[in-house]
Amino acid sequence: MRVIAAMSGGVDSAVAAARAKDAGHDVTGVHLALSRNPKSYRTGARGCCSIEDSNDARRAADAIGIPFYVWDMSDEFHDEVVEDFVAEYTAGRTPNPCLRCNEKIKFAAVLDRALALGFDAVVTGHYARLETGADGVVAMHRAADHAKDQSYVLGVLTADQLAHSLFPLGTDTKDEVRREAERRGLQVAHKPDSHDICFVADGDTPGWLHDKLGTKPGVIVDEAGEVLRAHDGAFAYTIGQRRGLRLGRPAADGRPRFVLDIEPVSGTVTVGPREHLAVGVIEGIRPLWCGTPPEGEVDCTVQLRAHGDEHRATVRVERRDDGDRVHLTLHDPAYGIAPGQAAVLYDGTRVVGSATIAATTRADATASATER
């Protein structure tokens, strides 16, 4: 096959490209230029948007012996990922830009361009496994190393996209990949993993949003409506947050308080005890299925944040003219679940699909959902 190897400049994508070549594929390395101004994004080895990362990717391609190109995806990345990130926080939701990037850039814009140029697939360094069933359908499963599993951030991929994808690292540990990179003479063998959000230069998301959105005063209140203090922008908070609230005085019972709700129009942030974060029912919108959608009520597990726990749940898909809805009834409560996050559904290790969380209902059913 003729394949595009998406090379971020890290060790995982470099080893994935090398393995694709070893497997006999005709491999072309591509680094995605995602920033309109690379110096405005991360520098050094902390992300996938810096000039250093581009140079690391080029050196790895040279060492592997494959052609290498840089594709400018900065406009698409800005419109689909960065602007979406800002808009979601403005609306009081908590987005995951890595899922958005996978959905709209790496496995949409890149794959579309690759197929148009006559390539057959895109290979990446994600930790997930692909298995082709007897019916010829490609299914995605969790990586063998659950500590590195990245199937959650790939849960936005469709069956057709999976059929044109290769994940060569799904059966390995990170240590094994690093040792292989060292044996291959790749300079990125011991490069640190990237962290946080690649386009937030210093990792300070509230500060970055403040620069973009300015000051939007509001108040933090308790569940009785008592004002605890003013703030400069509700975008600095997310459901389940405990640290950084700076409330000045403890709750009457002395227990910690957490963000329970964010009202974006008034800028009101409501705080309360952890038990009031317990969620029993989740409503999801914009579902994306990695294969055949569930029919009727089906038991599954659901992951609600990257590297989060799995929760047992019953899923029901509601067909609607204005877009399908996914209703998840959790068998045990989950805590700190925010609208805007992704709910990724699993059948054992197989990824069934995903949906964007639009609303939640408390586990004790005393508070009804408010859709953002």
Side-chain angles (χ1 to χ4, degrees):
M1 286 196 302
R2 295 185 66 218
V3 302
I4 290 291
M7 304 183 71
S8 67
V11 62
D12 296 327
S13 60
V15 171
R19 288 188 180 181
K21 183 186 178 187
D22 290 349
H25 299 306
D26 180 2
V27 182
T28 297
V30 168
H31 178 77
L32 305 181
L34 300 179
S35 173
R36 291 171 171 173
N37 175 12
K39 292 184 179 180
S40 70
Y41 286 6
R42 291 207 182 282
T43 58
R46 296 207 54 196
C48 56
C49 303
S50 69
I51 294 173
E52 292 95 327
D53 290 313
S54 177
N55 292 335
D56 286 342
R58 184 180 298 277
R59 282 190 288 267
D62 289 343
I64 297 166
I66 59 175
F68 178 82
Y69 299 91
V70 175
W71 284 1
D72 184 354
M73 291 280 179
S74 58
D75 287 342
E76 293 92 336
F77 185 78
H78 179 81
D79 294 341
E80 297 286 357
V81 180
V82 179
E83 288 299 309
D84 175 78
F85 184 81
V86 174
E88 287 292 283
Y89 267 102
T90 301
R93 296 185 286 264
T94 304
N96 186 315
C98 293
L99 273 84
R100 184 76 175 181
C101 184
N102 283 334
E103 177 188 0
K104 297 294 185 179
I105 306 299
K106 292 180 181 176
F107 293 93
V110 172
L111 182 56
D112 288 348
R113 182 183 292 188
L115 294 176
L117 291 172
F119 290 89
D120 301 299
V122 170
V123 56
T124 77
H126 286 100
Y127 288 79
R129 294 180 293 122
L130 296 178
E131 297 181 3
T132 303
D135 57 0
V137 175
V138 178
M140 179 166 57
H141 291 255
R142 287 192 182 277
D145 181 0
H146 280 212
K148 288 298 297 180
D149 174 57
Q150 292 175 294
S151 61
Y152 175 84
V153 296
L154 298 171
V156 292
L157 303 186
T158 65
D160 184 62
Q161 289 171 325
L162 292 175
H164 294 283
S165 301
L166 296 172
F167 304 138
L169 308 187
T171 60
D172 296 89
T173 66
K174 186 60 176 257
D175 287 342
E176 289 170 338
V177 171
R178 289 195 183 280
R179 287 195 295 269
E180 180 176 335
E182 192 169 24
R183 290 195 302 270
R184 291 179 179 273
L186 299 174
Q187 294 183 20
V188 292
H190 299 288
K191 183 176 179 177
D193 288 342
S194 58
H195 298 284
D196 303 319
I197 301 168
C198 69
F199 54 83
V200 178
D202 57 2
D204 177 12
T205 300
W208 186 90
L209 287 167
H210 187 274
D211 290 342
K212 295 289 184 183
L213 299 173
T215 299
K216 296 190 175 183
V219 293
I220 299 178
V221 302
D222 63 18
E223 290 183 283
E226 180 182 355
V227 176
L228 303 176
R229 78 171 184 87
H231 64 70
D232 291 334
F235 49 76
Y237 304 93
T238 188
I239 302 295
Q241 179 178 338
R242 174 186 173 185
R243 299 183 183 279
L245 300 180
R246 304 192 304 276
L247 299 179
R249 63 183 188 273
D253 57 10
R255 293 190 297 168
R257 287 181 284 200
F258 300 77
V259 174
L260 303 180
D261 185 64
I262 300 169
E263 207 297 301
V265 176
S266 66
T268 300
V269 176
T270 303
V271 298
R274 182 178 183 273
E275 58 264 30
H276 288 179
L277 286 170
V279 167
V281 177
I282 293 171
E283 181 174 349
I285 57 174
R286 297 192 297 275
L288 294 165
W289 304 111
C290 299
T292 303
E295 295 291 341
E297 288 194 347
V298 178
D299 285 340
C300 65
T301 59
V302 59
Q303 187 172 331
L304 301 169
R305 57 172 63 88
H307 310 298
D309 295 331
E310 283 187 85
H311 300 270
R312 295 178 302 128
T314 299
V315 59
R316 175 174 57 86
V317 180
E318 178 186 351
R319 310 295 182 191
R320 292 173 44 157
D321 292 339
D322 61 347
D324 293 350
R325 297 290 178 110
V326 177
H327 298 275
L328 287 165
T329 302
L330 303 181
H331 297 185
D332 300 293
Y335 291 82
I337 308 306
Q341 294 175 322
V344 178
L345 283 57
Y346 292 83
D347 177 9
T349 62
R350 180 177 67 88
V351 181
V352 177
S354 67
T356 300
I357 298 171
T360 61
T361 303
R362 280 189 192 171
D364 60 7
T366 59
S368 60
T370 300
E371 185 165 325
R372 304 293 186 193

